[in-house]
Amino acid sequence: MYAIVAESLVKTYGGVPALDGVSFEVDRGEVFGFLGPNGAGKTTTIKILTTLIKPTAGRAEVLGCDIYRMGHEIRRRIGVVQQQESYELNLSVEKALDLYGFIWGVPRSRRRELVDELLIRFGLSEVRKVKAGDLSIGMRRRLQVAREFMHDMELLFLDEPTIGLDPIVRRQTLDFIKSKAREGLTIFFTTHILEEAEYLCDRIAMINRGRIVVVDTPDNLKREFGKIRKVEMRAKHSIPDDFIMRLMADSSFDRVSRIDPQTVSVICSTPGEAIAQMLRLADKFRLEIVSIYAAEPTLEDVFIGIITSDA
Ligand SMILES: Nc1ncnc2c1ncn2[C@@H]1O[C@H](COP(=O)(O)OP(=O)(O)O)[C@@H](O)[C@H]1O
Ligand SMILES: [Mg+2]
């Protein structure tokens, strides 16, 4: 049985679609990554699946329970680390953890064990007596993620859990999540950081503007990304439209965009040839070039690269 089944989920806000027909399945025991830029619809998807909001259309089952009719059972069996802060700022770190376990009905002795373990695992031992409200943003985020492990669950939703964390703590947090996954916890994880998704996830769904672009294993996606490069060229003076049109007419470039009057970028699979071609063209147009280089594409570039090569 699947941990999550989402079928044609739509959510509109004032007529504007935040989700525009999202479908996917998550296996039990799987770490499933939802990867996409800001505004893609990641949080909206989590809110629907955790029954905080209702979709405008479509259906979904979480742990075999219908999101419309069995919200209570779903909420009892899942854990959620939301994107925004949601805890008592006046409580000390250890009290905040303990209270959360209490709310979930965890017995006192078990709570004590869990608090001690989580303080260590999340590097919060030194601030255990500090009020949550007095913590740095990174520490608060750690507390918010740690807190969720005060209770047992079958499926954990994490909405950009590593935002605000420095690289070392980020890695520790991902490793902790990974260890829980190995113990059999199913995880639905959102991020806008490609490397994080690669590090943690069995499969990744890429979402952009409320639509899933592709779902695959990190290995397969990497193979796809490996082919894509971005070449950016900056001229001393404004680049003529004709120059841009000539690049657009070249079928070896997936996408040509004018960044500003003097800068143009192309997405392609053979950056060496692209640079040679652009230099030849610049020569014809007597364009003076300030810089030209090939770079790793951003996530946005990758999405668009995949969409264009699909078309
Ligand atoms: N309560 C809301 N009212 C209006 N628009 C919203 C609301 N929540 C989200 N949106 C819009 O829906 C889109 C998706 O948002 P969200 O799911 O938060 O994206 P992500 O988490 O991927 O950054 C965005 O364009 C956002 O502005
Ligand atoms: Mg979000």
Side-chain angles (χ1 to χ4, degrees), residues 197-204 216-223 225:
E198 273 177 21
Y199 184 68
L200 200 63
C201 300
D202 298 312
R203 283 190 308 144
I204 297 171
D216 215 329
T217 62
D219 276 352
N220 285 344
L221 291 173
K222 253 186 281 180
R223 235 167 273 144
F225 299 150

Side-chain angles (χ1 to χ4, degrees), residues 44 49 56-57 73 78 86 148 153 162 197 256 304:
T44 303
L49 296 174
T56 310
E73 179 168 351
I78 63 172
S86 56
E148 208 51 46
M153 61 206 132
T162 60
V256 180
I304 293 164

Side-chain angles (χ1 to χ4, degrees), residues 4 81 149:
I4 303 174
V81 175
F149 292 97

Side-chain angles (χ1 to χ4, degrees), residues 38-39 41-44 83 159-160 190:
N38 284 332
K42 303 183 295 296
T43 298
T44 303
Q83 193 165 15
D159 198 358
E160 308 217 28
T190 77

Side-chain angles (χ1 to χ4, degrees), residues 92-104 106-108 111-112 115 150:
S92 69
V93 168
E94 62 181 9
K95 289 233 174 73
L97 289 174
D98 186 66
L99 174 67
Y100 201 67
F102 175 79
I103 291 169
W104 275 91
V106 179
R108 182 191 296 263
R111 293 205 308 266
R112 216 171 275 150
V115 168
M150 285 297 297

Side-chain angles (χ1 to χ4, degrees), residues 261-302:
Q262 284 131 277
T263 315
V264 62
S265 84
V266 307
I267 300 292
C268 60
S269 50
T270 50
E273 281 168 32
I275 288 175
Q277 167 74 352
M278 287 164 92
L279 287 176
R280 270 197 302 275
L281 205 57
D283 205 39
K284 262 191 204 148
F285 280 78
R286 298 183 188 285
L287 265 184
E288 200 177 324
I289 292 171
V290 177
S291 65
I292 183 163
Y293 63 93
E296 293 277 309
T298 63
L299 198 55
E300 184 81 10
D301 295 329
V302 168

